[in-house]
C-alpha cells in the first residue's frame, strides 16, 4: 500500500485521521523528528489545540525550515484545522507568536455576541463563492457537501485577496461571518475542517490529496438548495452503554434514568438490552447522524483502567464511523485496580488514542464547579476540565449535565435561579429550578444548572450536553424552558437532550430555542424512527441539514 507521512509533533487525538487515511487506501508513516521530513513525499500536518502552543512546539521542534523546503520542492503538503492556521501570518489567539506566513492574513476569533463559539458542526467549503464556476472540483471539494468544523478562530474571507496570490479558496459562513474553509495552491491543500470526521465528503478530499488529484470535474452542478450555506442543524445519536447481568456490554435506555425492564419476560430487573454498541453506532452513521455519543453509564469497577471495554468499542467504531465520537462516563481522577493513581487526563488520553474526539464529563464537573464557587470563583488548574482542555483544546471537553426539576411557589422561595414554567408542579407551583445531580441521577445537589454551566465555561469546557431527567425516555419532547434558560446564560454550544419521541420534536427544539444541536436515543434504538427521517423532516421545515453521502 502506498504511504503518506503524518507529523507527530505533539500527543494529539490523531487516531481518526490514521483510520481515515487507511480507509482511502494509504498507510501512515510517522514524522517524529525534523530529519524525517526529508523522507516524506506526501506530508500531512494535523493541527492540535492552540495556535501559539502548536507553533511553539513546531518551532522548538525544528520543523519549520524542513517543511518550507518540502513545500518549495513541490511535494504534496496538507494542513488540517490548526494545521491550516499555522500557515497564516498570525492569529488573535496568540498575538506574540508568528505563523509560518505562507498564507497572507490573520486569524480572528468569531464574534460571540450573536452565536455560540466555538463553531462546531457541519458547514460548507464552497469554491464557487470565490469565483470557481467552471464546474471543477478542487481536491474533491463539492459545493453541496458539508464538512465537520470545530474551531473558535478563523481566517476571514476577503474577496479577491487570496485569489490574487494564486490560492483557490473554499468559503463557509457562520452567522454573518464568511471565512476560509479550505485553501489550495499547487502542491498545498489546507482545510479548516476535519476531513477525517466529515464522512464520505471528507474521505473524498483526503483521497484526492493522497492520489494527487488536484482538479476533477464535478459530477453535477448542485442546485441552489443543495449548495445553501451555513451551519447545518446537528443531529446526534446517543448510546447509553453498560454491562448487563450476563457481563456483556449493551446499549440500554432508561426511563428517567431507570434502565431496568418493567414488563415482559425480563420484568423485575434485567437491564434493558437494545443492541450492540459498535453495530448501532455504524447504523446511525449510515443513517446520517452528525455525531455519535457513547455514555458509559456504569463504571467498570473490577477491571484495570487500560482494559476498559469502552476503549475497544471506540477503536472498532472509529474504523468505520467517520463523524465525531464523544465518550462519557468515568472521566475523573481515579485509582486503578493495582492501586496506581490515574488522572482524568490519563483516562481522557486513552480515549483520544482509541478514536474519541471529545470526552464528556458528568459527576466530576459538578464537584469541580461546586469547589470553584467555594474558593470564591478561582480556578484550581488541576480539575479534569482544565487539564484536558489545556492539553487537547476546549472543543474536546463536553460537560454532560443531568438536571432535575425542583418546583417552588415563587422565585423568592429559593436562592437558586428559577424559571416560570408552563407545566406547573404537583402542588400547582409555577416556578422551578434545575438541580444538578451526580452518579447518574442518584444524588441531587443543592446547586443549580446555571451555576454549573457558567462555572464549567470558565474552566475550559467547550460544549454542554444538556440532559433533563424529568424528560428522559418520556418521548414527550425536549425541555424547551431549560434549553432556553441555559442558552441565555453561556456562549459555548449546547446540545439539547432528553425527551425526543418523533422527528417533530427535533424541528420544535430548533425552531423554539437557539440550541446548537439535538440528541436522540430511545426513538432511534427502538427503531421507531431513523436519523434520516429526522433530517428529512427538518429539511421539509426549511431547516438546513446535512444528508448522508455515499462514497
Ligand atoms: O458522571 O462522568 O461518570 O458520567 C456518567 C454519564 O452517564 C453522564 O453523562 C450521565 O448523563 C450518564 N448517565 C448516567 N446514568 C444514566 C442513566 O440513564 N441511568 N444516562 C445516564 C444519561 C442521557 C442521554 C439520554 C438522553 C436522551 N442518558 O444519553 O440518552 O436523555 O434519551 P431519550 O432521547 O430516549 O429521551 P460521569
Amino acid at each position: 500500500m502506498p504511504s503518506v507521512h503524518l507529523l507527530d509533533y505533539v500527543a494529539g487525538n490523531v487516531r481518526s485521521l490514521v483510520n481515515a487515511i487507511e480507509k482511502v487506501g494509504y498507510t501512515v508513516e510517522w514524522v517524529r523528528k525534523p530529519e524525517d521530513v526529508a523522507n516524506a513525499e506526501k506530508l500531512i500536518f494535523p493541527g492540535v489545540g492552540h495556535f501559539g502552543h502548536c507553533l511553539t512546539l513546531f518551532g522548538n521542534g525544528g520543523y519549520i525550515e524542513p517543511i518550507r523546503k518540502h513545500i518549495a520542492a513541490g511535494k504534496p503538503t496538507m494542513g488540517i484545522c490548526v494545521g491550516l492556521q499555522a500557515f497564516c501570518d498570525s492569529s488573535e489567539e496568540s498575538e506574540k507568536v508568528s505563523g509560518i506566513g505562507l498564507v497572507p492574513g490573520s486569524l480572528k476569533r468569531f464574534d460571540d455576541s450573536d452565536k455560540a463559539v466555538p463553531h462546531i458542526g457541519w458547514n460548507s467549503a464552497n469554491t464557487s463563492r470565490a469565483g470557481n464556476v467552471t464546474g471543477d472540483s478542487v481536491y474533491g471539494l463539492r459545493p453541496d457537501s458539508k464538512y465537520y468544523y470545530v474551531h473558535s478562530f478563523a481566517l476571514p474571507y476577503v474577496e479577491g485577496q487570496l485569489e490574487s496570490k494564486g490560492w483557490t479558496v473554499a468559503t463557509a459562513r457562520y452567522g454573518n461571518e464568511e471565512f476560509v474553509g479550505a485553501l489550495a495552491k499547487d502542491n498545498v491543500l489546507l482545510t479548516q475542517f476535519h476531513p477525517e470526521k466529515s464522512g464520505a465528503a471528507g474521505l473524498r478530499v483526503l483521497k484526492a490529496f493522497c492520489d494527487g488529484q488536484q482538479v476533477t470535474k464535478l459530477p453535477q452542478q448542485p442546485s441552489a438548495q443543495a449548495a445553501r450555506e451555513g451551519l447545518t442543524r446537528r443531529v446526534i445519536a446517543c448510546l447509553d452503554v453498560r454491562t448487563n447481568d450476563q457481563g456483556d456490554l449493551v446499549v440500554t435506555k432508561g426511563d428517567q434514568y431507570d434502565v431496568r425492564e418493567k414488563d415482559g419476560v425480563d420484568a423485575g430487573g434485567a437491564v434493558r438490552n437494545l443492541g450492540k454498541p459498535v453495530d448501532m453506532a455504524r447504523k446511525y452513521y449510515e443513517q446520517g447522524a452528525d455525531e455519535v455519543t457513547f455514555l458509559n453509564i456504569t463504571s467498570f469497577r473490577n477491571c484495570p483502567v487500560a482494559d476498559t471495554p469502552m476503549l475497544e468499542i471506540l477503536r472498532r467504531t472509529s474504523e468505520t464511523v467517520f463523524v465525531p465520537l464523544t465518550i462519557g462516563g468515568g472521566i475523573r481522577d481515579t485509582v486503578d485496580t493495582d492501586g496506581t493513581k490515574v488522572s482524568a487526563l490519563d483516562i481522557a488520553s486513552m480515549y483520544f488514542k482509541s478514536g474519541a474526539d471529545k470526552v464528556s464529563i458528568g459527576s466530576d464537573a459538578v464537584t469541580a464547579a461546586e469547589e470553584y464557587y467555594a474558593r470564591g470563583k478561582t480556578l484550581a488548574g488541576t480539575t479534569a476540565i482544565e487539564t484536558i482542555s489545556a492539553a487537547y483544546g476546549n472543543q474536546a471537553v463536553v460537560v454532560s449535565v443531568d438536571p432535575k426539576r425542583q418546583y417552588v411557589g415563587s422565585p423568592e422561595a429559593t436562592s437558586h435561579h428559577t424559571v416560570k414554567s408552563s407545566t406547573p408542579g404537583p402542588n400547582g407551583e409555577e416556578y422551578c429550578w434545575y438541580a444538578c445531580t451526580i452518579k447518574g441521577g442518584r444524588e441531587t445537589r443543592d446547586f443549580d444548572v446555571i451555576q454549573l454551566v457558567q462555572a464549567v465555561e470558565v474552566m475550559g469546557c467547550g460544549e454542554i450536553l444538556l440532559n433533563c431527567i424529568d424528560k428522559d425516555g418520556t418521548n414527550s419532547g425536549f425541555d424547551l424552558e431549560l434549553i432556553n434558560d441555559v442558552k441565555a446564560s453561556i456562549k459555548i454550544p449546547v446540545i439539547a437532550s432528553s425527551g425526543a419521541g418523533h422527528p417533530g420534536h427535533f424541528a420544535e427544539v430548533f425552531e423554539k430555542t437557539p440550541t446548537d444541536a439535538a440528541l436522540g436515543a430511545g426513538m432511534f434504538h427502538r427503531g421507531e424512527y431513523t436519523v434520516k427521517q429526522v433530517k428529512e423532516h427538518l429539511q421539509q421545515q426549511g431547516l438546513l441539514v446535512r444528508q448522508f453521502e455515499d462514497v
Side-chain angles (χ1 to χ4, degrees), residues 238-240 252-259 293 295-299 328-332 360-365 400-402 438-442 465 467-468 471-475 478 497-501 506 519-523 525-526:
C238 179
L239 302 126
D240 289 357
T252 189
K253 183 66 217 60
D255 298 322
Q256 293 156 312
Y257 286 30
D258 179 0
V259 298
T293 296
L295 296 176
N296 167 8
I297 67 168
T298 48
S299 49
I331 316 268
R332 68 176 80 96
S360 165
I361 306 175
S363 307
D364 187 74
S400 164
V401 191
D402 301 313
I438 56 174
K439 302 179 186 158
R442 286 184 196 87
L465 167 51
N467 303 299
C468 176
K471 283 287 190 175
D472 177 65
T474 62
N475 303 327
F478 295 92
S497 163
S498 304
F506 283 85
L519 171 153
M523 65 180 249
H525 305 337
R526 293 185 299 267

Side-chain angles (χ1 to χ4, degrees), residues 5-64:
H5 280 75
L6 204 54
L7 208 70
D8 182 25
Y9 64 103
V10 58
N13 39 352
V14 290
R15 173 93 188 194
S16 346
L17 183 56
V18 173
N19 286 338
I21 292 169
E22 289 175 355
K23 176 83 182 170
V24 299
Y26 290 76
T27 56
V28 168
E29 290 186 49
W30 293 98
V31 171
R32 294 213 159 95
K33 45 187 192 313
E35 305 83 80
D36 296 343
V37 175
N39 304 329
E41 177 58 27
K42 294 168 179 151
L43 182 66
I44 300 185
F45 175 14
V48 181
H50 189 265
F51 178 86
H53 181 63
C54 168
L55 275 155
T56 308
L57 278 171
F58 198 50
N60 293 347
Y63 284 108
I64 295 186

Side-chain angles (χ1 to χ4, degrees), residues 21 26 47 79 125 132 150 236 277 283 295 300 302 317 320-321 392 428 432 446 469 480 530:
I21 292 169
Y26 290 76
N132 172 37
V150 47
I236 300 174
K283 179 173 82 181
L295 296 176
F300 296 89
N302 301 321
T317 304
T320 54
V321 174
Y392 291 95
C432 73
D446 184 20
I469 297 186
L480 307 177
T530 62

Side-chain angles (χ1 to χ4, degrees), residues 438-495:
I438 56 174
K439 302 179 186 158
R442 286 184 196 87
E443 193 179 319
T444 304
R445 309 292 304 173
D446 184 20
F447 191 62
D448 67 61
V449 67
I450 303 299
Q451 291 176 292
L452 175 68
V453 296
Q454 290 184 335
V456 299
E457 180 175 45
V458 176
M459 292 160 86
C461 157
E463 198 172 26
I464 299 291
L465 167 51
L466 185 56
N467 303 299
C468 176
I469 297 186
D470 310 82
K471 283 287 190 175
D472 177 65
T474 62
N475 303 327
S476 62
F478 295 92
D479 188 332
L480 307 177
E481 290 163 353
L482 169 66
I483 298 158
N484 277 320
D485 203 38
V486 167
K487 269 300 289 178
S489 67
I490 47 170
K491 297 289 186 190
I492 52 177
V494 169
I495 302 165

